[in-house]
Amino acid sequence: MSGAGREPGPGTRPLFGIAEVTGISMVPTLLHGDQLLVHYGGRLRAGDVAVMRHPLQQDLLIVKRLIERQGGGWWVLGDNPDAEGDSRVFGAVPPELVLGRVRARYRPVTPGRQRSAGVLLSWLFSAVRPVVSGRSASRRLRAR
């Protein structure tokens, strides 16, 4: 996930920011290239998709689903069970590293795609969507 220069810096606290998804760890909820509207400092709860600093490489921003509070931090998982790079690798994420909740995603038009009326109408209908708390988060926990 990237968003360099657009996350809150020391001493500044914007209410909202934009980040871009890179990678496949949140497929099918988020796709590579999606733009995210991030609500900094918003209330967090299990099931939310959040932007955070990677616990082992804090200059790297990541986006994951908050599963549960565990050991003083958040247990986080990607929505793609085949992708690595979540709490199964680095453990619980300290709360001070969780920057904000993802409120919406914007999916740009795929370059080189046909621009017929049907394709454009379909894109227009699905380009901007809220990112809601996952109802399947607890089901995934029980299945593991």
Side-chain angles (χ1 to χ4, degrees):
M1 189 193 121
S2 70
R6 295 195 262 183
E7 71 273 2
T12 61
R13 280 288 182 186
L15 188 55
F16 290 96
I18 303 292
E20 181 178 350
V21 175
T22 58
I24 61 167
S25 71
M26 288 300 292
V27 169
T29 306
L30 303 173
L31 302 179
H32 179 82
D34 282 355
Q35 303 289 313
L36 305 177
L37 176 64
V38 182
H39 180 193
Y40 295 113
R43 185 173 152 240
L44 301 170
R45 59 184 179 198
D48 288 346
V49 174
V51 172
M52 62 205 72
R53 293 190 184 283
H54 193 290
L56 305 177
Q57 187 180 349
Q58 293 182 16
D59 60 334
L60 176 66
L61 296 180
I62 59 175
V63 60
K64 303 292 178 198
R65 189 170 302 278
L66 305 174
I67 301 301
E68 68 178 359
R69 293 285 235 156
Q70 190 177 86
W74 282 101
W75 190 261
V76 299
L77 294 175
D79 284 359
N80 180 349
D82 296 327
E84 296 180 359
D86 53 28
S87 287
R88 295 171 292 177
V89 173
F90 50 71
V93 176
E96 63 271 13
L97 296 182
V98 181
L99 301 176
R101 179 178 172 192
V102 175
R103 295 292 186 165
R105 65 108 173 118
Y106 164 74
R107 190 161 289 157
V109 175
T110 306
R113 198 156 173 213
Q114 180 185 8
R115 300 279 200 273
S116 70
V119 168
L120 288 176
L121 190 58
S122 172
W123 169 82
L124 185 61
F125 180 71
S126 68
V128 177
R129 289 283 170 104
V131 176
V132 295
S133 296
R135 288 176 248 163
S136 65
S138 62
R139 234 184 357 255
R140 284 190 59 214
L141 266 179
R142 285 193 297 268
R144 292 191 181 273

